[in-house]
Amino acid sequence: MHLVVQACILGVLTGGVYALMASGLTLVFGVMRVINVAQGALVILSAYLSWALFTHFQVDPFLSVLIVAPLIFALGVGVQLVFIRSLRSEQAEELSLLITWALALGIEGVLGAVYETTYRATNTSYANSAWTIFGYQVSVVRAYAFGLCVAVLVLLYLLLARTRFGRSVRATVQNPSSALLLGVNADRVRALAFGIGVSTAAAAGAVYGVLYPFNPGSHYDLISRLLSIVVLGGLGSVAGAVAAALMMGVVEAVVAVEISPVWSSFSYFVVLVAILLLRPQGFFGARERTL
Amino acid sequence: MLLRFDSVVAGYGRGDILRGLDLDVPEQAVTCLVGPNGAGKSTALKTLSGLLKPRAGRILFEGDDIAGLSPARVLARGIVHVPQERSLFPLMTVWDNVLMGGHSMRDRGAVRRRAEALAERFPIVRERRNDRAGELSGGQQKVVEIARALMLRPKLILFDEPTMGLEPKTRHLIFETVARLHADGHTVLLVEQNARAGLAAADHGAVLDGGRVAIAGRGADLLADPRLGELYLGGSGPTANGSGGMNSPA
Ligand SMILES: Nc1ncnc2c1ncn2[C@@H]1O[C@H](COP(=O)(O)OP(=O)(O)O)[C@@H](O)[C@H]1O
Ligand SMILES: [Mg+2]
């Protein structure tokens, strides 16, 4: 029992980080029907930026979020304005898949040229510290990373639920032409939403290197997980993505201690397929979601 | 003349749908555009509200050419479009939907006051305020759409088949609402497939055929015009337009 609870704690902490990356991915899909397959590569790019800031300038990775996220936000807005906005044809969805995949490969190529394939990790002074709470071990960096991701998710929620901009995002998701007719500036909403969606990858990426070793090819594993999370949560549903990410974290961690770490990823995909067979629309299908 | 289409050409992809549309919409009156399914009625409204860019021609509103302006610009000129398909945000509350009607207003307090005033005028907004818009019936949604459209005190309201798919009682309610807007001095451009009901509710009418206005005139005169039946239903007369044809609000 102790082990299972311990595993659940770890699973929730891990899931929180994935929740943040996936929420940006699903938000972008909801607003513009674009599946940004570069989300994983942007996480890895952010991990490198944060690692470089730490290694060369001793900037704490949790503080580097304040530098990395705005940079990636600007990159996202730029990519949207230059490459994605101009896709006006009926094939915009397919073409945007190609464009974001090209972006992912481009990022991988540049990182490979600069850093080669050596695995890196951001080793802070507190990397191996742990708190003991009611007899359970809680890794300090994982707790910090979880806290950061929850904080960013809360900010994202408040932005979407409480602001005029958030209302125009929700309007665009629910009925794009109607939003246009009410004077919503669709180009602006799309560019900003894309920037916000990729900066969630940046925020999670800045602390990714504290949790896992990474190299330029790490984005393949990441994007396949992120895609499975957003599908399980219901494409376009931020709340669904959060629930699915937490479920993934817990299933993998529990299977790792109860059965074997070898089976942990596989077991999650079994659960994924089983749930999608029963509920093809994911946790929150288009009908019942709030956003 | 508040609005004038002048030889407007527009379409999607290859081929034109509007082939030189000329249409006048006088102020403080209801003008009804009728025509068979696929005649280009919705296309005309979309071209006016900026959803579709015209390929040629002018659209004069208060004397200025507004052809090709973005929907936000057209809205800022005082033209609001209630489209044919359902246009509420189904997951937002009725109240938030109405507030969205004032999206382009900067003064939040003014938006709220205006919405409260409309809630007085349209009881459904008051009664279902906190319900998700998608849970309302089709007719109730249409009324909320109309309330939302009035948020900006528009100079011209475009209604695209507001009674489509509604049962006779609700259809009657929508026509009553249009009549009330008319009585309050609003200018309305109404599109109806149901020629009889639409023209009966209108001061002026025009029949669209092949992307052009085939006949235009006073609503009552058009109703009596034998050419209407020929154009509109291939000679079988306007009253033959299904059971809906008999449901004029008069
Ligand atoms: N988005 C679109 N893309 C391509 N063709 C369209 C589109 N919308 C309408 N059409 C075509 O334009 C013609 C006129 O449509 P519409 O203006 O909706 O007619 P109406 O409102 O009079 O029934 C139809 O032949 C229709 O098939
Ligand atoms: Mg139509």
Side-chain angles (χ1 to χ4, degrees):
Chain A
M1 192 57 210
H2 183 84
L3 268 183
V4 173
V5 174
Q6 180 74 61
C8 287
I9 293 172
L10 177 66
V12 167
L13 295 182
T14 309
V17 177
Y18 279 96
L20 182 57
M21 304 178 206
S23 61
L25 185 59
T26 210
L27 173 70
V28 165
F29 178 82
V31 173
M32 58 192 98
R33 310 280 127 181
V34 165
I35 295 177
N36 174 22
V37 288
Q39 188 85 348
L42 289 162
V43 171
I44 300 302
L45 173 63
S46 307
Y48 271 104
L49 287 173
S50 161
W51 174 84
L53 284 168
F54 178 73
T55 309
H56 302 303
F57 305 100
Q58 290 78 48
V59 179
D60 186 274
F62 288 92
L63 276 182
S64 73
V65 172
L66 298 176
I67 303 167
V68 175
L71 279 176
I72 300 293
F73 174 84
L75 175 68
V77 171
V79 165
Q80 204 280 336
L81 290 178
V82 175
F83 296 109
I84 299 178
R85 186 180 54 154
S86 51
L87 303 176
R88 287 275 185 234
S89 68
E90 287 75 48
Q91 301 126 340
E93 287 162 34
E94 289 90 334
L95 289 178
S96 65
L97 205 55
L98 289 180
I99 287 172
T100 56
W101 187 238
L103 177 65
L105 296 183
I107 290 172
E108 184 190 348
V110 169
L111 291 176
V114 177
Y115 295 109
E116 302 178 328
T117 53
T118 320
Y119 273 90
R120 314 279 173 171
T122 312
N123 281 306
T124 55
S125 57
Y126 47 90
N128 296 312
S129 329
W131 295 314
T132 306
I133 301 170
F134 297 119
Y136 296 106
Q137 294 283 309
V138 178
S139 141
V140 170
V141 278
R142 284 186 187 273
Y144 282 175
F146 180 77
L148 173 78
C149 292
V150 170
V152 177
L153 280 170
V154 168
L155 280 180
L156 185 64
Y157 171 79
L158 291 176
L159 179 74
L160 291 173
R162 298 287 159 80
T163 67
R164 180 172 179 271
F165 170 73
R167 200 158 60 196
S168 56
V169 169
R170 285 184 290 141
T172 306
V173 170
Q174 293 175 29
N175 195 331
S177 73
S178 188
L180 262 179
L181 285 177
L182 296 175
V184 171
N185 183 337
D187 280 344
R188 190 165 147 264
V189 164
R190 291 201 181 94
L192 290 179
F194 198 81
I196 290 166
V198 299
S199 25
T200 66
V207 297
Y208 188 81
V210 187
L211 306 176
Y212 308 100
F214 57 91
N215 79 356
S218 302
H219 74 99
Y220 293 104
D221 179 55
L222 257 179
I223 192 62
S224 62
R225 277 165 185 277
L226 294 181
L227 288 174
S228 74
I229 288 169
V230 297
V231 170
L232 182 58
L235 268 171
S237 164
V238 172
V242 171
L246 292 176
M247 200 208 77
M248 181 205 75
V250 171
V251 168
E252 291 200 6
V254 169
V255 169
V257 300
E258 286 292 292
I259 304 171
S260 150
V262 178
W263 292 104
S264 65
S265 301
F266 180 70
S267 62
Y268 162 64
F269 282 98
V270 170
V271 173
L272 172 75
V273 170
I275 293 179
L276 290 181
L277 283 175
L278 293 173
R279 259 187 92 76
Q281 72 274 43
F283 289 164
F284 295 92
R287 292 182 149 274
E288 54 274 300
R289 83 174 55 132
T290 44
L291 195 119
Chain B
M1 208 52 62
L2 183 64
L3 173 77
R4 165 167 283 169
F5 283 85
D6 178 10
S7 314
V8 173
V9 178
Y12 317 84
R14 238 171 275 169
D16 297 331
I17 303 296
L18 303 181
R19 302 188 183 89
L21 176 71
D22 296 306
L23 177 70
D24 286 345
V25 177
E27 208 158 349
Q28 296 192 356
V30 176
T31 302
C32 183
L33 187 61
V34 299
N37 216 344
K41 305 181 295 296
S42 297
T43 303
L45 295 194
K46 285 182 204 166
T47 310
L48 171 55
S49 63
L51 288 177
L52 188 66
K53 301 253 175 288
R55 292 170 177 163
R58 297 185 306 162
I59 300 175
L60 299 171
F61 183 72
E62 296 181 313
D64 301 327
D65 188 1
I66 60 162
L69 291 188
S70 71
R73 288 274 173 79
V74 175
L75 187 71
R77 293 299 304 244
I79 301 175
V80 60
H81 181 173
V82 182
Q84 183 172 344
E85 54 284 354
R86 289 190 177 179
S87 74
L88 292 184
F89 304 108
L91 305 174
M92 286 190 200
T93 61
V94 166
W95 187 245
D96 276 350
N97 265 282
V98 174
L99 291 181
M100 270 306 291
H103 178 79
S104 56
M105 289 162 72
R106 284 284 153 190
D107 181 352
R108 288 189 156 211
V111 171
R112 204 151 297 137
R113 283 193 299 278
R114 179 74 183 140
E116 294 288 359
L118 288 165
E120 285 306 309
R121 192 158 149 201
F122 298 93
I124 191 79
V125 171
R126 204 172 53 227
E127 290 154 15
R128 306 296 298 271
R129 186 177 180 121
N130 296 317
D131 291 340
R132 284 193 185 183
E135 292 164 5
L136 271 56
S137 73
Q140 292 171 329
Q141 291 195 29
K142 217 19 120 180
V143 174
V144 176
E145 285 179 55
I146 295 174
R148 183 175 73 178
L150 296 177
M151 277 295 286
L152 297 178
R153 302 175 197 278
K155 293 174 188 158
L156 171 64
I157 312 168
L158 315 176
F159 284 126
D160 197 346
E161 300 202 29
T163 62
M164 192 187 62
L166 303 182
E167 44 182 78
K169 216 179 90 199
T170 328
R171 205 180 298 165
H172 189 75
L173 174 78
I174 301 288
F175 275 119
E176 252 175 27
T177 309
V178 171
R180 224 168 74 199
L181 293 174
H182 183 203
D184 293 347
H186 282 99
T187 308
V188 174
L189 175 54
L190 172 71
V191 161
E192 263 297 334
Q193 224 212 96
N194 184 331
R196 188 185 180 88
L199 291 173
D203 307 290
H204 306 276
V207 184
L208 199 59
D209 184 48
R212 283 196 196 90
V213 170
I215 32 174
R218 297 197 51 83
D221 298 344
L222 273 183
L223 267 179
D225 194 319
R227 288 178 300 166
L228 178 67
E230 283 161 33
L231 272 170
Y232 195 74
L233 293 158
S236 54
T239 49
N241 184 23
S243 62
M246 306 306 292
N247 276 304
S248 86

